[in-house]
Amino acid sequence: RKTGTLADPGTPEGRAERDALLAAWLAGDRRRSFPGGEDFASVSRRVREGLARLATTSLDGPAVVVTHRAALLAAAESCASPGGPRPQGGCANGSITALELDGRGGWRLVSWAEDGHLG
């Protein structure tokens, strides 16, 4: 996977560019990609593959996956179901997005970007 030039931006301008790209993706504009890195379709494909592997893993209880906002958005969108919660708005650092197995070998979005614990 390519991390691109904004993976760890060292300047205020680089951080602003990265944040603008993520904000565009969160707002539904998926035309841009990270310079030298992934576009949203690539992130989504990688996340779906990871969730499929996790779904086949034998777990005795909940699993916690820690990742970046773009991957959270991709996971939430791929698991959203009609009438259920939808990924909308921002996704603060440290927020919690919950998924659960749907009983058919896939995942269901339970909640998106809860941040009440951040105070």
Side-chain angles (χ1 to χ4, degrees), residues 9-21:
T11 66
E13 295 81 12
R15 287 187 290 280
E17 183 180 358
R18 177 199 59 204
D19 291 346
L21 193 145

Side-chain angles (χ1 to χ4, degrees), residues 22-45:
L22 288 171
W25 283 3
L26 286 164
D29 178 2
R30 311 293 165 67
R31 295 173 290 167
R32 295 175 55 194
S33 63
F34 280 92
E38 293 180 300
D39 61 9
F40 191 77
S42 297
V43 172
S44 293
R45 191 171 31 260

Side-chain angles (χ1 to χ4, degrees), residues 38-108:
E38 293 180 300
D39 61 9
F40 191 77
S42 297
V43 172
S44 293
R45 191 171 31 260
R46 183 168 46 86
V47 166
R48 283 191 309 273
E49 290 168 359
L51 286 172
R53 281 192 305 275
L54 186 58
T56 62
T57 302
S58 179
L59 301 173
D60 292 330
V64 175
V65 178
V66 179
T67 189
H68 298 278
R69 291 178 283 181
L72 282 175
L73 177 60
E77 283 191 351
S78 71
C79 299
S81 58
R86 309 286 305 167
Q88 296 179 7
C91 178
N93 286 338
S95 65
I96 298 172
T97 295
L99 308 174
E100 69 181 7
L101 288 170
D102 66 7
R104 298 182 311 268
W107 295 91
R108 180 178 75 80

